[in-house]
Each structure stands twice: as structure tokens, then as C-alpha cells.
Amino acid sequence: MGASIMLNAWNVLVSQSNYPDLYQIYDKDSMLAKNLYNAAMFRIRQTFTGWDKTSRTDHENEVFEEIRITKQTYPGLKIKRVLSYKALDKILRVTKNPDYFAGLPMQTAEAVVHQAVNNFNSWLKALRDYKKNPTKYTGKPRMPKYRKGDRAAFVFTNQDAVLYHEDDKRQDFAILKIPGVPKSKKLTLFGIPTVGILKQITVTPMYGRFMMSFIMEDCAPPFYPDLPNMAGLDFGTDNIAALACTDGSSVVCKGGAVLSENRLFAKNKADSVSLLTQGKVHAHAESKHLTRLSLQHYCRQHDMMHKISCRIIEWCIAHRVGVLVIGTNKFWKQNADMGKRNNQNFVSIPHAELRQMIAYKAMIAGITVIEQEESYTSKSDVTANDPIPVYGHVEGKPSFSGRRISRGRYQTHSGLIINADCNGSANILRKAVPHAWAGKTDFRFLAAPYSITYQRLQKVTGCPPKDPIKVFQRFH
């Protein structure tokens, strides 16, 4: 039986200081990609809005004239109200669109056009679904707009980009060849493994820099087949995640460092904006300092989410967890009503990003992830096997055997004091798998869960340098 294949992403942050040659290329190509995307979206939108009109606008007439010329060149080409990639590609080629042939590698240019077509089709699909299930959305889906700003993301396929190394003794750097760089010039990148097959490179503008993501095809890591236990996971603020496992263990990941980072960023940003806008009315605050503040905040937050998700999956593997039930609520950020301060703390934590990281790392380890609606799980008493209704589907106000006596403590019907977040995570598991705690009578393990603090998170990869941008470049 052959080894399974998976895709990995390796990120490199490109700036004028660390990779000046790459930065110049990406700066030019990202502007061309933005112009091409808007040119493609313009033709898609004008065709869609002007299809059945008897009196069209000047822009619509301009696009339909291009369609007429294209049909003369390709009489068998079928053009519908929603332009397909094939039709749009033919229109751009026949009319010799200057944005299509502005200097982007052809594979990259075609990918940009594909993205515009896919975005428009996704909008139509969401619009049809909205008519059937409007409660799934916060509002009616809107037609895709044009790219704002000066730059947009783009990709290099493995037909245009090559990654290799010359020194077998050094595996921590690689040589990159991309369009726009002379063959005699080598671009050396550090922190990129040469194991695996390069599929594509995605380049995304980010805070005055470019995030270069290498999508590599590689053999999957070890798969853990013997995982008989189950666990529930509850997201929060002071404890950013709490888990309870059927083997009689529990753990909480402290969120103090994440909250401190969010508060520090908000304070520093507010101070900087106040200085920049002092004495001005309706002034837009923008500076290199603000850009670097935002980048540092992104890198710190992204780094902590990665480390927390890694520790959670490591804990699940150590406790042989085969099914992980994650609690979630629809619109829980939009409808948060916990007071101004608690709302700010809760909304500022990227729970969705953390949930996504946990899900794909669990999939790699062979752990099944289930998302469970979690209403009333924090109020129900797991030791009394209280029923857990769904919010909005129960008459009257439900009553429960236990009660929450303080921020982090829950008193069960028998008087046992347990961790409130661990009680919630145990109930999340019970709500998805009703028999999960069958036969369990001793729940004292929920009273004193193992605590993963910020200091313990840092021990996973050693003490990092102080600059968060260097942390990101080093570990991600």
C-alpha cells in the first residue's frame, strides 16, 4: 500500500529589506493582477446586467461590442448571460486586452481570470441558497465588487516556478526560479524545505509586504489508528479552549496572552491614530508605523493560534482521542451580548481561525472532528445527565440541576465544584454523542484540569526571538 499524499503550505514574508529582488517583482505583478481582475470582473458584471436590456449603458454597450467581435472570430462560441472562463478568455484574447497581456506570466494571468469567474459563480450559488435558507446568512449576498487598493493576490504555477537546492548538506535553504528573474541570477530562500513537489506559489499583499505561500505535495505524516476515546472542546476567553476526554482527563488552554496582545495592539493603535489625526477633521490615519503595528499583531496572533492548535492535537493523540467534538454557535460573534468589555475580549479572539487549524491538524492525525451547536451546555450539569435543549426550540425557561457560582466554577447537583469550562466541553461532547459518558460516575477530573499556559506553549518550539515578524518567518 503506497504512502498517502497531502498538501503542505510553507510561508515566507517578503519585504524590501530581506528579499529586495523578489519584492520588486511581486510589487509589479500584484498591480498587474489587480488591474486584470478588475478588467475581467467588469466584463462579467456588464454582461450580466445588460443581457436583457433594450437600452444599455455606455459600459454595457462597450462590452457587448467586444462580444460581437469575438463571435465573428469564433462563430461556434456560445456566450451566456453569465460569462464562462472559456468565453471570457476568448473575449480578452480577440480584443487584445492590454491588462491580459500586460506582462504577467500567461499561467498567472489565466488564474486571475479564473478567480474572477469563480467569485461571480460563487455569488450566484450563494444567492440561490439564500432564497431557500435565508436564516443561514446575515444578509442578502452582494454581487462581487472590484478590487480596491493598488495590489491583489496572484499565483505562480509549477510550470513557471521551480524550487531546488544545490547543496545536499544544507537543507534549510532553497533556490527559487520564477518569471522575471534572469537565469543567471539566483534567489536564495531560507526556511523552505526541499522535500516534496512544488505545486504552486501564492503571493498575497500584506501590510506593505508580500506573503509567499509554497504549496508542496508531500507524503502524509504518521496516522494514528488506535484512538478509542472521545473529547469535547469548548472555546472561551480566559480559557481560550477547554477539553474533557472520556478517559478521565481534562485540559484548559489559557487565553491571557492572547487577550493581552489584543489589548496592547488596540491601545498602541489608538494612540498612534490619535497623534496622526490631531487637529484634523475626518482624517484617514495611515503610516508605516501603523502598518508595522498591524503586521506584528497578525504575526503574534497567528503564531499563538498555531501553537495552541498544535498542543491541543498533541494532547488528543496522547490521550488517544479519535473523535473530537467542537462547540460552535451560529452568529455567536455577531450576536454577542456579554457587556462591552467581555464582548470586546470575546470578539477579538480569532476562534474561527483556531477551529480551522485544529480541524485540519486533526484530519492529518486521523481524528474525526464534529461541530456541535452548543446552546445551554455551560448551564447543564454533566454529572446529573441534564437534558440539553437547543436554543429557540424549547418552551419556557429550562431548569438545570447545577449552577455556575463564579466565573470559572460550576457547582453540580451533589455539591461537587468543577471547572465551568470543562463542564461545558463535557456537555458539548454529550450533546453530540449522548452515550459518551455512559457509566461514568466520578467526574472529579473536571475539577482540576491540566493547564497549558503561555510559558508552556513557548516550550514547544523553544524561546523565540522578540520580533514577532521573525517568529513568523522562523516557525511558519
Side-chain angles (χ1 to χ4, degrees), residues 442-458:
D442 186 1
F443 286 91
R444 286 178 296 178
F445 68 94
L446 298 177
Y450 178 76
S451 180
I452 301 177
T453 61
Y454 179 73
Q455 290 75 15
R456 285 173 175 168
L457 278 181
Q458 300 311 312

Side-chain angles (χ1 to χ4, degrees), residues 387-437:
I388 313 176
V390 177
Y391 182 78
H393 293 76
V394 60
E395 295 182 2
K397 187 176 181 180
S399 60
F400 302 99
S401 303
R403 64 189 181 93
R404 195 164 188 160
I405 58 177
S406 65
R407 173 64 188 88
R409 298 192 304 164
Y410 185 93
Q411 184 177 30
T412 67
H413 71 290
S414 62
L416 176 66
I417 306 299
I418 59 177
N419 184 280
D421 294 327
C422 290
N423 175 68
S425 60
N427 280 321
I428 287 171
L429 173 60
R430 184 165 64 92
K431 197 169 188 179
V433 187
H435 64 276
W437 302 105

